Amino acid sequence: MNSQIPKGQGAQRNVINKFDRFTHEPEDFELDLIKTQVTEVFPKSIINIIKSPDLMMDYSMNPYQGCEHGCSYCFARPTHEFWGYSAGVDFERKLMVKKNAPELLEKTFQKKSYVPKTIMLSGNTDCYQPIERQFEITRNLLKVCLDYRHPVSIITKNALVLRDIDILEKMAEKNLISVSLSIPTINEDLRRVMEPRTSTAKNKLKAIEVLSSKNIPVNVMIAPVIPGLTSDESLGIMKAVSEAGARSCGYTLVRLNDTVEPVFIQWLETHFPDRKDKVLNLIRSMRGGNLGEKRFFQRYQGEGNIAEMIHKTFEIGKRKFFANQERASLTTEHFTGSRTQQLRLF
């Protein structure tokens, strides 16, 4: 374990990339010197078709690969290995940007074969992570969606979403936008080490208030719920976000697939060594003795008494704080495949 805790990141080390024969492991003194490195990549398409049967989305769109937010539990970490990087420190510090994403999106919308369905922005890594302040790719994607009147559902951990309130308001007028804020904890001491470069819980709650005041529907994802670490906060979070104006609330159970496992374990060893065994054993109790789960539906459901207790807690919370409320259902009726609302003749 490091003699010093790296500041502003979740991963304590790089972990071995299963595709690489050799892996560079930074020395302790190097960790604080690692700066964010940005590389431009040039995809040929920007919309991903979602085929997973247990996900309630049809398309997703990710302007960035890798994420500065530094959440140790992030399910997207293993995707960084396909680019030749580590799911550990590399995931947070070696980022890829898709500057041509808005151009690709517009070309997709103009295709006669394109079928409009709500796009999840992002779905993999956060579209409002800190480098978005510089590159504004997310903002430009939203501009294209507004021009073409295409529905978008945003999910983020960052109050930077408020920067684009001018675009979001206009989209909300045509029922084209919803925003999900991810809030796994409102304990600021825990948030600071668990998701070090995200917005504070206070700022996330403020973002809910502002968005809701502009009639932009807000959902909150309490994700992931980590037994022995955050699971006791669920009702408190639901109460707080409901009072701030959120219309609905969802959740997921933590799962540590592939190289997420060693990153999370190292993080526990660094920040919560006294709770490490308890937390890991509770996760195993929900995952059939494992720390990860890849089976469709089961990966979100879990099993055993702990999982059942979490599910019951959310049932109670939804009845108490979100009775008769549902997530926003967006429309594609205004989309014509052009910047004008004139329908195609052919």
Side-chain angles (χ1 to χ4, degrees):
M1 188 167 61
N2 299 329
S3 58
Q4 290 185 320
I5 298 175
K7 296 179 181 179
Q9 62 189 52
Q12 307 304 299
R13 292 278 188 180
N14 269 331
V15 292
I16 295 175
N17 183 334
K18 63 184 179 182
F19 299 109
D20 283 354
R21 185 177 177 185
F22 303 104
T23 299
H24 168 66
E25 181 62 52
E27 298 292 340
D28 289 350
F29 71 87
E30 291 183 273
L31 289 172
D32 283 336
L33 300 177
I34 296 175
K35 303 296 183 182
T36 300
Q37 302 173 23
V38 176
T39 301
E40 184 177 2
V41 293
F42 303 90
K44 295 182 179 179
S45 62
I46 192 61
I47 291 180
N48 307 303
I49 299 175
I50 305 301
K51 298 180 180 180
S52 301
D54 56 354
L55 293 178
M56 295 190 300
M57 65 179 81
D58 295 295
Y59 301 144
S60 70
M61 181 165 58
N62 297 282
Y64 303 104
Q65 176 64 39
C67 187
E68 286 181 285
H69 280 160
C71 307
S72 58
Y73 53 75
C74 182
F75 68 88
R77 285 183 177 272
T79 64
H80 224 46
E81 296 177 307
F82 293 102
W83 296 86
Y85 295 123
S86 169
V89 175
D90 284 355
F91 178 77
E92 304 169 34
R93 301 298 191 179
K94 295 183 178 180
L95 310 178
M96 283 155 281
V97 302
K98 305 171 185 178
K99 293 181 182 179
N100 65 338
E103 177 186 349
L104 291 174
L105 182 62
E106 182 163 18
K107 288 181 178 179
T108 300
F109 285 169
Q110 292 174 346
K111 292 180 179 178
K112 293 182 180 180
S113 60
Y114 177 71
V115 179
K117 298 177 182 179
T118 299
I119 298 174
M120 173 63 74
L121 180 65
S122 293
N124 194 36
T125 59
D126 204 306
C127 60
Y128 280 108
Q129 60 179 285
I131 58 171
E132 166 62 16
R133 293 184 184 276
Q134 173 186 353
F135 292 100
E136 297 192 353
I137 301 174
T138 296
R139 180 173 176 82
N140 289 325
L141 287 169
L142 289 173
K143 286 180 179 178
V144 174
C145 289
L146 173 61
D147 287 346
Y148 282 80
R149 301 164 305 283
H150 194 288
V152 177
S153 180
I154 296 170
I155 183 165
T156 182
K157 291 176 174 287
N158 204 311
L160 179 59
V161 64
L162 293 181
R163 180 202 62 190
D164 297 332
I165 196 78
D166 57 326
I167 301 174
L168 302 180
E169 276 191 276
K170 294 176 181 177
M171 296 184 74
E173 292 174 358
K174 294 183 179 294
N175 191 27
L176 298 174
I177 192 69
S178 66
V179 177
S180 288
L181 266 294
S182 176
I183 306 180
T185 179
I186 53 176
N187 178 331
E188 189 55 25
D189 291 335
L190 176 56
R191 184 213 61 82
R192 194 174 292 114
V193 296
M194 191 169 76
E195 39 177 41
R197 292 190 174 186
T198 64
S199 296
T200 64
K202 179 180 179 180
N203 284 341
K204 290 179 185 178
L205 292 173
K206 181 63 177 178
I208 295 173
E209 292 178 1
V210 173
L211 291 166
S212 298
S213 72
K214 302 295 184 180
N215 295 316
I216 298 165
V218 180
N219 174 65
V220 167
M221 286 299 297
I222 303 177
V225 179
I226 305 174
L229 198 62
T230 68
S231 53
D232 62 334
E233 292 190 66
S234 298
L235 288 177
I237 296 173
M238 296 177 83
K239 181 177 186 294
V241 301
S242 174
E243 291 174 348
R247 285 178 40 169
S248 57
C249 185
Y251 67 103
T252 61
L253 305 179
V254 67
R255 52 193 174 97
L256 308 175
N257 290 344
D258 302 319
T259 38
V260 181
E261 179 180 323
V263 171
F264 186 77
I265 291 176
Q266 289 173 3
W267 177 81
L268 278 176
E269 289 173 343
T270 299
H271 295 284
F272 298 98
D274 57 327
R275 290 200 232 176
K276 172 192 167 187
D277 291 339
K278 176 183 179 181
V279 171
L280 294 177
N281 286 333
L282 288 172
I283 295 174
R284 290 188 182 99
S285 76
M286 300 192 304
R287 300 300 185 189
N290 301 310
L291 292 174
E293 177 60 80
K294 296 182 180 180
R295 291 175 294 173
F296 293 132
F297 299 102
Q298 190 62 32
R299 58 182 175 171
Y300 297 118
Q301 184 66 25
E303 60 183 68
N305 293 334
I306 298 300
E308 185 62 26
M309 180 182 68
I310 292 172
H311 295 320
K312 291 292 185 183
T313 297
F314 276 88
E315 288 177 11
I316 294 169
K318 287 184 177 182
R319 286 198 301 270
K320 186 171 184 178
F321 302 115
F322 295 96
N324 302 316
Q325 296 192 55
E326 297 180 356
R327 292 190 63 168
S329 179
L330 307 181
T331 185
T332 60
E333 65 179 350
H334 305 295
F335 180 84
T336 62
S338 70
R339 290 179 180 270
T340 69
Q341 288 193 280
Q342 183 175 349
L343 294 173
R344 291 177 176 141
L345 294 177
F346 302 100

